[in-house]
Amino acid sequence: MKTRTLLLLAVTFIALAMPLRTLGATLLWTNELPVNATVTDLLPDGQGGVVVCYAVAPTAYVIYLDKTGLQRWLISFDGASEADPFASADGVDYSFGPDVPTANKDAKGFFLIRRVIATNARSIQRYSYK
């Protein structure tokens, strides 16, 4: 029984350590955000695009990125809020968003927030399930 448990644990750790590409996810595009931007929400449009809410104190922004990752519009307003990423590896944080991780995907893929810890540079990344 111990051998089976250890084998299951080993397989689980190996699966968790594999890069996303190995698991079938493919990076489709990346869109850079301003340095020190704090992403507060992501809302996929169901067509491969996403609405991103982010803040660079003291201003908050809402942008729309289409299915190719191009910015189609930008709105700014005063009064920003913050959210923290929850995943980290090799000097880079990835998170699905601040509140509802399952809301940051659609039928064909998902979005991640990428933050380089050393520079605080952030970007939105679109991945395909293929």
Side-chain angles (χ1 to χ4, degrees):
M1 180 113 169
K2 279 186 176 181
T3 304
R4 183 177 178 176
T5 303
L6 289 174
L7 180 61
L8 288 173
L9 284 173
V11 169
T12 301
F13 285 124
I14 291 169
L16 291 173
M18 295 170 116
L20 289 175
R21 182 170 288 133
T22 303
L23 297 174
T26 303
L27 177 63
L28 298 178
W29 53 259
T30 297
N31 189 291
E32 299 297 323
L33 297 175
V35 174
N36 296 323
T38 301
V39 177
T40 57
D41 208 356
L42 293 175
L43 179 64
D45 67 0
Q47 304 296 316
V50 65
V51 174
V52 181
C53 301
Y54 68 92
V56 180
T59 306
Y61 300 88
V62 179
I63 61 171
Y64 173 65
L65 306 173
D66 69 10
K67 66 181 181 179
T68 64
L70 295 175
Q71 180 179 310
R72 294 297 178 188
W73 50 261
L74 169 78
I75 300 169
S76 64
F77 54 93
D78 289 331
S81 63
E82 294 188 9
D84 295 320
F86 56 83
S88 178
D90 298 331
V92 175
D93 280 348
Y94 288 91
S95 68
F96 282 102
D99 297 319
V100 186
T102 57
N104 299 320
K105 64 180 183 171
D106 57 25
K108 294 184 178 181
F110 58 94
F111 298 92
L112 288 180
I113 302 162
R114 180 180 189 270
R115 178 176 73 103
V116 178
I117 295 170
T119 62
N120 209 23
R122 296 184 193 210
S123 60
I124 302 299
Q125 295 183 328
R126 169 69 172 170
Y127 285 87
S128 164
Y129 291 130
K130 296 180 180 182

